[in-house]
């Protein structure tokens, strides 16, 4: 009755922002992401009939905050009549700070819970379960470049390119390690309801996805860089124009963008992307990784740097 799984966060190059069905947590738009290798979340789920409630530890400390969402995910995977569970999560990067910790957490939890419940679901079903818990988590089921599509009444994910087939590097510049002021789920809803740019965003997404998909197939870094930066800035423009406005950036976020622009001016193959937080991810061709890392590290306000390659999808490590 126990399962242990590992999953890596993913960074969207073409972003998911907004839902078409809140109750079923279905995204309004498709997205394309890269799964990272060095950052990870491990989830250990142990069902125990003697427990009265689910209990959670995060990095060995009791933690109640995420428990309600994790419990619902366990219900969806193992059934509402399941025994209560001991959930132990460990994460090697800052949580809830715009580094996609919910993606790796819910992908790992879905796989661990299915293992603990003795269910052998296929990837399509695991994708749908993880996506119900957190939209971006569905993409962490797979490795390398991953596309999430809206298909009928649900979602489907497929791999566009393996992690080793285009081994880009990602330099993550941490500019602040505290949790973000507004969670993504709430921020997406505020955007959908109030931003004058939201409808355009939804309308244009298919075109951005087509451009990125073709760039990945052709290993065309320049085209991917241009469309990823455009899509990222569009997403943030929606948030800035929402009521209340949501600005996740800080001064160092902007300085990192300037660093990337300077590197690009010197011919370095790099582009930026930013999620619902102040961290900047600089995606680069492997030959430029140390140059990009040094430049980001030297940027005023950057408090930490993590460099990673592209990694594999979520997997079960132990099942008993
Ligand atoms: C993404 N983000 O595509 C976008 C870009 C953040 C910015 O998916 O409400 O935690 O749980 O489905 O997946 C973060 O949102 O949201 C996210 P829910 P999730 O990566």
């Amino acid at each position: 009755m126990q399962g242990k799984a590992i999953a890596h966060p993913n960074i969207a190059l073409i972003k998911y922002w907004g839902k078409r069905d809140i109750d079923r947590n279905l995204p309004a738009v498709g997205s394309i992401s890269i799964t990272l290798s060095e950052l990870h979340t491990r989830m250990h789920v142990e069902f125990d009939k003697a427990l009265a409630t689910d209990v959670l530890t995060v990095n060995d400390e009791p933690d109640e905050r995420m428990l309600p969402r994790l419990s619902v995910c366990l219900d969806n995977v193992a059934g509402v009549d399941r025994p209560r569970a001991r959930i132990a999560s460990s994460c090697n990067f800052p949580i809830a700070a715009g580094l996609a910790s919910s993606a790796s957490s819910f992908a790992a939890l879905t796989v661990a819970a299915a293992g603990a419940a003795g269910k052998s679901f296929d990837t399509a079903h695991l994708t749908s379960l993880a996506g119900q818990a957190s939209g971006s988590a569905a993409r962490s089921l797979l490795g390398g470049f991953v596309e999430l599509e809206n298909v009928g009444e649900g979602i489907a994910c497929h791999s566009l390119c393996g992690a080793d087939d285009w081994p880009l590097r990602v330099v993550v510049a941490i500019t602040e390690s505290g949790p973000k002021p507004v969670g993504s789920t709430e921020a997406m809803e505020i955007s959908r309801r109030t931003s004058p740019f939201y409808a355009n965003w939804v309308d244009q997404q298919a075109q951005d996805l087509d451009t990125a998909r073709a760039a990945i197939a052709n290993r065309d870094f320049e085209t991917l860089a241009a469309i990823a930066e455009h899509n990222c800035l569009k997403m943030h423009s929606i948030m800035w124009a929402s009521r209340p406005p949501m600005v996740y950036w800080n001064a160092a976020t902007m300085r990192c963008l300037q660093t990337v622009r300077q590197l690009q001016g010197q011919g370095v193959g790099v582009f930026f992307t930013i999620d619902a937080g102040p961290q900047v991810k600089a995606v680069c061709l492997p030959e430029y990784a140390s140059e990009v890392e040094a430049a980001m590290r030297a940027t005023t306000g950057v408090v930490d740097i993590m460099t990673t390659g592209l990694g594999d999808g979520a997997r079960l490590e132990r099942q008993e």
Side-chain angles (χ1 to χ4, degrees):
M1 296 294 278
Q2 51 178 303
K4 190 174 182 187
I6 184 169
H8 304 279
N10 67 78
I11 303 291
L13 304 183
I14 304 298
K15 312 281 188 191
Y16 149 49
W17 197 254
K19 299 174 198 286
R20 73 178 194 276
D21 183 330
I22 297 162
D23 294 335
R24 290 186 295 160
N25 201 40
L26 294 173
V29 292
S31 53
I32 291 178
S33 62
I34 43 179
T35 304
L36 308 179
S37 57
E38 305 292 315
L39 283 57
H40 64 252
T41 302
R42 280 198 161 85
M43 282 279 181
H44 184 189
V45 174
E46 186 180 10
F47 290 119
D48 183 345
K49 292 197 171 82
L51 286 172
T53 59
D54 292 330
V55 287
L56 170 67
T57 56
V58 176
N59 295 332
D60 295 325
E61 298 288 335
D63 193 324
E64 298 267 294
R65 282 168 301 175
M66 286 289 284
L67 194 52
R69 277 181 79 184
L70 298 182
S71 293
V72 171
C73 180
L74 293 185
D75 290 348
N76 289 339
V77 174
V80 284
D81 53 353
R82 67 179 171 83
R84 299 301 98 187
R86 216 168 277 114
I87 310 164
S89 159
S90 63
C91 195
N92 73 342
F93 61 97
I95 294 171
L99 286 173
S101 58
S102 70
S104 51
S105 297
F106 285 106
L109 185 74
T110 302
V111 173
K119 312 250 187 201
S120 43
F121 295 139
D122 61 14
T123 307
H125 192 55
L126 289 170
T127 299
S128 155
L129 288 166
Q132 266 172 47
S134 188
S136 56
R139 300 187 308 239
S140 277
L141 265 295
L142 299 177
F145 293 76
V146 179
E147 178 164 10
L148 184 152
E149 282 181 290
N150 278 324
V151 178
E153 292 295 294
I155 55 163
C157 283
H158 63 274
S159 170
L160 293 173
C161 172
D164 298 332
D165 296 328
W166 200 15
L168 301 183
R169 303 284 295 171
V170 183
V171 177
V172 181
I174 312 282
T175 63
E176 224 174 274
S177 56
K180 54 192 163 198
V182 187
S184 304
T185 307
E186 188 187 346
M188 281 185 209
E189 269 312 285
I190 295 172
S191 299
R192 186 183 65 79
R193 286 200 317 266
T194 69
S195 179
F197 304 151
Y198 182 79
N200 271 358
W201 159 259
V202 174
D203 285 350
Q204 288 179 13
Q205 188 79 343
Q207 209 177 320
D208 290 5
L209 288 164
D210 288 347
T211 305
R213 199 182 307 112
I216 293 163
N218 297 327
R219 313 289 191 265
D220 176 350
F221 188 82
E222 266 186 41
T223 302
L224 184 63
I227 195 67
E229 289 188 352
H230 171 68
N231 189 267
C232 164
L233 293 176
K234 258 195 313 200
M235 181 187 75
H236 285 277
S237 305
I238 295 170
M239 298 183 212
W240 290 15
S242 294
R243 292 187 163 191
M246 293 168 293
V247 179
Y248 284 108
W249 300 16
N250 59 30
T253 311
M254 193 66 216
R255 281 194 211 100
C256 286
L257 261 55
Q258 290 168 333
T259 298
V260 170
R261 280 285 177 269
Q262 278 161 12
L263 288 166
Q264 289 169 336
Q266 295 156 17
V268 172
V270 61
F271 66 87
F272 65 77
T273 190
I274 305 163
D275 293 294
Q279 330 305 356
V280 177
K281 292 96 181 188
V283 182
C284 65
L285 290 165
E287 59 268 35
Y288 296 114
S290 45
E291 197 176 334
V292 171
E293 186 178 322
M296 298 297 273
R297 197 181 287 285
T299 301
T300 305
V302 170
V303 293
D304 201 5
I305 290 279
M306 291 183 295
T307 300
T308 174
L310 306 194
D312 296 327
R315 57 219 174 262
L316 198 59
E317 293 186 313
R318 208 174 96 207
Q319 181 180 27
E320 283 171 20

